[in-house]
Amino acid sequence: MLSRITRTLGTRCLTTIRPFHTTGFRSVTKQDTNEENESKQGRANEIIEAVLYGSKKIKEEERQTHSKVLARGKYVHELQIHKVKPDKVDAYIELTSKHLPKIANDPNNDVHLCGSWSVDIGEQDSFVHIWEYKGYPGHKQTMDKLAQDADYIQFMKELRPLLISRENGMMLEFSFWQTSPPMVTNGIFELRKYTLKPGRLLEWEMNWRKGLECRRQFCEPVGAWFTQLGELNTVYHMWTYPDLQTRKTTREDAWNTEGWAETVYKTVRLVDNMNSFILKPLPFSPLR
């Protein structure tokens, strides 16, 4: 009996053993080792590239964000800065008060005047005007019409002798921050200018988008733009406050809001230079 059991178990054990064939299991070769090393090296290179230059996946998402989200695309804005001779300031205000509303209110022009201000703190005897065109076609149509307008031609002849210099630039508004419509605040306006490191605009926008929610709890945002023509890699944003003391307390309150300190930390390292100007609206300014 014992021998029969032994023979039976031996037979079963033998039948469960499978021969080793190279078709079922492949032996490790030198080629396998090279491929594995190459795979490891590739992963290492991806990690190093992500640390130095950012993840390819994130960069692809950012490219899509830049093309689809960064700008609203509906309007283009022109920023004009006029530096006036000190003894000609009154004449300048009188002249622009007459002609700028006429340009803005002409239904044949594809343009609106967002606002006109004098610089109260910053470069003295300077004036800022922001115009809103219906895209670049609206800008071209308006410029072509004004070039044939006798009143505008006379206005420019009278304006130039009053100025030390004038400059302008074309801007687009950020998609998350629509330019304010006309309103009366009876307060002051602050225009902030940030000159960014080249190539860092998208990163600035992604962080500032989050930070805006912290700030708008305490004060009214007016607009935010980035330059397309003129001084490139430049961001402007504008706020309005009842007075300078309110501005001070508002900014202090923002620092106590979760997320604001992080926004400042992430954006300030992207900036080469920054400026702040306190503006006083002119009597005819739609934003005043």
Side-chain angles (χ1 to χ4, degrees), residues 16-28:
T16 59
I17 297 174
R18 296 290 185 268
F20 183 85
H21 294 295
T22 56
T23 55
F25 299 89
R26 191 162 58 85
S27 59
V28 178

Side-chain angles (χ1 to χ4, degrees), residues 6-268:
T6 303
R7 287 196 301 273
T8 303
L9 289 174
T11 303
R12 289 178 179 174
C13 289
L14 286 174
T15 58
T16 59
I17 297 174
R18 296 290 185 268
F20 183 85
H21 294 295
T22 56
T23 55
F25 299 89
R26 191 162 58 85
S27 59
V28 178
T29 65
K30 184 176 181 180
Q31 181 180 357
D32 295 331
T33 304
N34 290 339
E35 289 178 355
E36 183 178 356
N37 290 337
E38 289 176 359
S39 177
K40 290 180 179 179
Q41 183 62 45
R43 288 194 296 270
N45 289 339
E46 287 180 4
I47 293 172
I48 293 172
E49 183 180 357
V51 171
L52 294 178
Y53 307 110
S55 163
K56 288 182 178 179
K57 181 179 179 181
I58 293 175
K59 290 174 76 174
E60 178 61 29
E61 290 175 353
E62 288 179 348
R63 280 195 292 271
Q64 293 177 1
T65 302
H66 187 273
S67 62
K68 296 179 181 179
V69 179
L70 192 60
R72 285 185 69 213
K74 188 175 182 180
Y75 301 103
V76 295
H77 290 78
E78 180 184 11
L79 174 71
Q80 296 179 339
I81 300 176
H82 294 168
K83 296 181 180 179
V84 180
K85 297 174 181 177
D87 60 336
K88 302 295 185 181
V89 167
D90 291 341
Y92 174 87
I93 294 175
E94 182 180 357
L95 184 65
T96 53
S97 296
K98 175 183 177 181
H99 287 277
L100 297 193
K102 185 183 298 185
I103 295 170
N105 295 328
D106 187 339
N108 295 317
N109 294 330
D110 284 337
V111 63
H112 299 287
L113 179 63
C114 295
S116 294
W117 301 267
S118 62
V119 177
D120 209 28
I121 299 177
E123 292 200 40
Q124 297 289 289
D125 304 321
S126 295
F127 294 80
V128 175
H129 310 280
I130 298 179
W131 299 86
E132 181 179 84
Y133 299 91
K134 296 178 181 178
Y136 285 112
H139 177 264
K140 182 180 186 303
Q141 189 273 338
T142 301
M143 292 298 101
D144 288 346
K145 181 181 180 302
L146 290 177
Q148 307 299 321
D149 188 310
D151 283 347
Y152 179 78
I153 294 171
Q154 182 60 35
F155 163 60
M156 293 305 297
K157 286 182 179 179
E158 296 178 20
L159 177 67
R160 292 188 182 97
L162 309 180
L163 304 179
I164 296 173
S165 66
R166 61 192 179 105
E167 61 179 290
N168 70 341
M170 302 304 294
M171 315 181 296
L172 298 179
E173 59 184 352
F174 285 103
S175 61
F176 63 90
W177 194 341
Q178 182 177 347
T179 304
S180 173
M183 64 177 178
V184 178
T185 69
N186 295 316
I188 61 171
F189 291 76
E190 180 182 16
L191 180 65
R192 298 181 69 87
K193 174 184 177 182
Y194 296 83
T195 304
L196 305 183
K197 294 179 172 64
R200 309 311 291 271
L201 175 61
L202 179 59
E203 188 175 355
W204 188 94
E205 184 268 351
M206 292 177 70
N207 287 296
W208 184 250
R209 177 193 293 263
K210 301 173 185 176
L212 177 62
E213 297 306 316
C214 302
R215 286 293 305 276
R216 73 189 318 157
Q217 299 176 42
F218 306 103
C219 60
E220 187 70 26
V222 175
W225 311 269
F226 60 95
T227 54
Q228 284 269 289
L229 298 168
E231 189 176 354
L232 300 179
N233 303 304
T234 303
V235 170
Y236 293 92
H237 55 88
M238 182 180 284
W239 306 82
T240 182
Y241 306 92
D243 49 49
L244 288 176
Q245 180 60 32
T246 303
R247 174 189 177 275
K248 176 180 180 295
T249 56
T250 293
R251 293 178 62 83
E252 291 171 350
D253 290 339
W255 281 103
N256 296 322
T257 304
E258 183 179 356
W260 178 243
E262 180 183 5
T263 297
V264 174
Y265 171 77
K266 289 183 176 180
T267 55
V268 73

